Amino acid sequence: QVRLVESGGGLVQAGGSLRLSCAASARTFSTYTMGWFRQAPGKEREFVAAISWTGSRAYYEDSVKGRFTISRDNAKNTIYLQMNSLKPEDTAVYYCAVQTDSGAYSYVRSYDYWGQGTQVTVSS
């Protein structure tokens, strides 16, 4: 069982920045691929970014490339999502997730454990 706790969401104006954090309880955290997803009202949960267990590889959804950066600190069992140049269309609940087995990094079904989510609201 892995417990994930997100933090750092909030209300920000368009063009602003936020940094999300996700702390994991797993002792084997450093061996897992981690991902960030988001879900806007009335829409399906969608992939945002993922990072390999070493942190050497990062993957992004096209609309956030160049604006968002995913990173991890395995010593702290924590991953981060630095979000810059935020847009109103980035408004959603953001979730972090753990992939304990192999699978496509952008698929919701590839992830086994999820946090409770943190709300990000970008005003125009």
Side-chain angles (χ1 to χ4, degrees):
Q1 186 74 17
V2 177
R3 182 167 176 262
L4 303 171
V5 179
E6 302 101 333
S7 61
L11 173 64
V12 64
Q13 288 188 333
S17 298
L18 283 174
R19 187 193 196 204
L20 305 183
S21 299
C22 173
S25 64
R27 287 177 291 177
T28 53
F29 168 84
S30 62
T31 65
Y32 298 149
T33 292
M34 301 289 296
W36 286 100
F37 289 74
R38 65 187 179 187
Q39 188 166 18
K43 295 187 177 181
E44 293 187 351
R45 192 167 299 188
E46 66 174 7
F47 170 73
V48 175
I51 189 166
S52 64
W53 66 276
T54 62
S56 62
R57 289 173 291 170
Y59 311 93
Y60 299 93
E61 192 270 330
D62 285 346
S63 70
V64 308
K65 284 180 181 177
R67 300 189 298 122
F68 291 11
T69 303
I70 188 171
S71 61
R72 68 190 297 162
D73 184 339
N74 286 342
K76 296 182 178 180
N77 279 15
T78 301
I79 65 167
Y80 306 94
L81 187 67
Q82 177 66 42
M83 305 186 294
N84 299 328
S85 302
L86 283 161
K87 305 175 181 180
E89 50 265 43
D90 295 317
T91 296
V93 177
Y94 283 70
Y95 299 89
C96 69
V98 173
Q99 183 182 98
T100 60
D101 203 349
S102 60
Y105 60 82
S106 63
Y107 288 4
V108 169
R109 63 177 179 268
S110 295
Y111 292 80
D112 309 287
Y113 299 98
W114 295 81
Q116 83 288 349
T118 185
Q119 176 70 47
V120 171
T121 303
V122 184
S123 63
S124 58

